[in-house]
Amino acid sequence: MAVEIRGPTDETLDAIASAFEAYQADHPDARITMYRQGPYSIRVRLIDPGFESMSRGARSRLVWSYLARLTEDQQADVNMFLLRTPEEIEDSIANDEFEDPIPPIHLEGVKAD
């Protein structure tokens, strides 16, 4: 399953998606969705059955290890991670943002990259 980018893409989104393609290769049952919410705001939802026995901290450390090759600016644009198992996602209020997102913020004259 490929990394899903919702909405328009850009250089930073493509770089982050590329990093997550490596995660996807190592965790083929994972589902990864991401989108740009604003000029400096990228949201990522990663649903992985492999998270079942992991703490939130361990999940975060694992995911960030795949983003280590990105620039600091690219990493800084990721401001929301939703790291859940398939069972946890059904009860996740934060998941509502991925199912029915608030419209992206567009600032006149501000470029994301």
Side-chain angles (χ1 to χ4, degrees), residues 6-61:
R6 292 186 180 168
T9 190
D10 57 50
E11 185 178 321
T12 299
L13 275 167
D14 290 340
I16 295 168
S18 178
F20 279 122
E21 286 171 3
Y23 184 95
Q24 185 78 69
D26 292 341
H27 304 267
D29 293 331
R31 292 181 293 155
I32 304 165
T33 307
M34 52 190 284
Y35 66 95
R36 182 171 289 287
Q37 173 61 23
Y40 305 104
S41 174
I42 294 173
R43 296 179 174 180
V44 178
R45 174 178 64 185
L46 203 157
I47 303 170
D48 189 346
F51 288 156
E52 186 173 347
S53 62
M54 297 175 74
S55 69
R56 289 182 302 175
R59 295 174 188 191
S60 183
R61 285 188 297 278

